[in-house]
Amino acid sequence: MENKVELRTNRLYMEFEPYCIWHKKEDNDTLDVHLEGFKREQLKVRVNNARMLTISGERPLDDNNKQSFFGKQIKLGEPPLHDNNKWSRFSKQIPLADNINVSYISSKFSRGILSVVMPKKPEIPSMSISPGFEVVIQKETENAGGWMLKDKNMGVLVFLVLGFGIYVKCLCG
């Protein structure tokens, strides 16, 4: 009979909230996440179908008595961090706005800063036409023509356009 020894290490996680700063521009939004001490392979950037951006990472805390944790320096002579079972981790979820083009989100990790660039969809200019006058349909009893222009200047313009149309018709035969 063969005996197997399974060595399990229980990790002790130290959760933290990384410092983040937004840079908003007309064509994209960029989130810079400060993650000093992390390596690129220790980080994950994901977007799910519900348009939720998740940034997460975990790394082991060094047990050589030189690692600082949350700005507090571990002093020499203190016991090591329990056989390297202490880990630092974070997870940040950000709902994405409808104007973010999810297909083109990119990230870059350099010098301890993770930059997530979220391009915006191009805006389609909305057009509204405001003619400057109001046409009101009235009952036949009030106005024999059935409609009336509320702007008198527009009435003059309609008269001139109709007159010009009749003039051109007469010339052309």
Side-chain angles (χ1 to χ4, degrees):
M1 192 174 219
E2 186 177 309
N3 288 333
K4 290 185 179 181
V5 177
E6 187 174 329
L7 183 61
R8 286 191 171 171
T9 53
N10 293 329
R11 292 180 177 173
L12 177 61
Y13 285 99
M14 303 293 194
E15 304 279 338
F16 76 100
E17 182 73 25
Y19 175 74
C20 301
I21 186 165
W22 282 96
H23 304 281
K24 298 195 180 250
K25 296 180 184 173
E26 189 174 318
D27 60 341
N28 68 46
D29 290 343
T30 302
L31 177 63
D32 287 340
V33 185
H34 293 250
L35 297 166
E36 193 171 320
F38 278 84
K39 297 176 185 172
R40 180 182 10 207
E41 55 272 5
Q42 297 169 329
L43 302 172
K44 292 180 185 175
V45 178
R46 291 171 286 178
V47 178
N48 66 16
N49 290 338
R51 299 182 61 83
M52 184 70 67
L53 172 70
T54 303
I55 303 168
S56 60
E58 63 180 43
R59 70 177 177 92
L61 292 175
D62 197 0
D63 67 350
N64 63 6
N65 290 333
K66 294 179 185 173
Q67 177 69 37
S68 66
F69 185 66
F70 302 120
K72 181 179 178 185
Q73 185 71 30
I74 298 171
K75 297 175 186 162
L76 292 173
E78 286 185 0
L81 296 176
H82 300 86
D83 298 322
N84 218 11
N85 69 343
K86 285 193 177 182
W87 287 64
S88 176
R89 74 176 174 186
F90 74 97
S91 182
K92 189 163 192 63
Q93 291 191 325
I94 301 156
L96 298 173
D98 290 336
N99 68 338
I100 298 295
N101 195 341
V102 176
S103 301
Y104 294 102
I105 291 177
S106 63
S107 63
K108 178 179 130 181
F109 186 65
S110 177
R111 297 182 180 168
I113 298 176
L114 175 67
S115 295
V116 182
V117 179
M118 296 162 270
K120 295 179 182 176
K121 294 177 184 175
E123 288 187 30
I124 300 171
S126 61
M127 298 181 72
S128 70
I129 300 172
S130 178
F133 67 93
E134 182 180 349
V135 176
V136 178
I137 306 293
Q138 295 183 343
K139 295 179 185 173
E140 287 185 34
T141 56
E142 292 180 27
N143 185 358
W147 61 276
M148 164 181 95
L149 288 173
K150 280 206 158 185
D151 189 343
K152 290 182 182 180
N153 291 334
M154 194 52 121
V156 172
L157 179 64
V158 169
F159 177 77
L160 290 174
V161 169
L162 287 174
F164 182 73
I166 293 170
Y167 175 74
V168 169
K169 173 111 175 133
C170 289
L171 286 177
C172 294

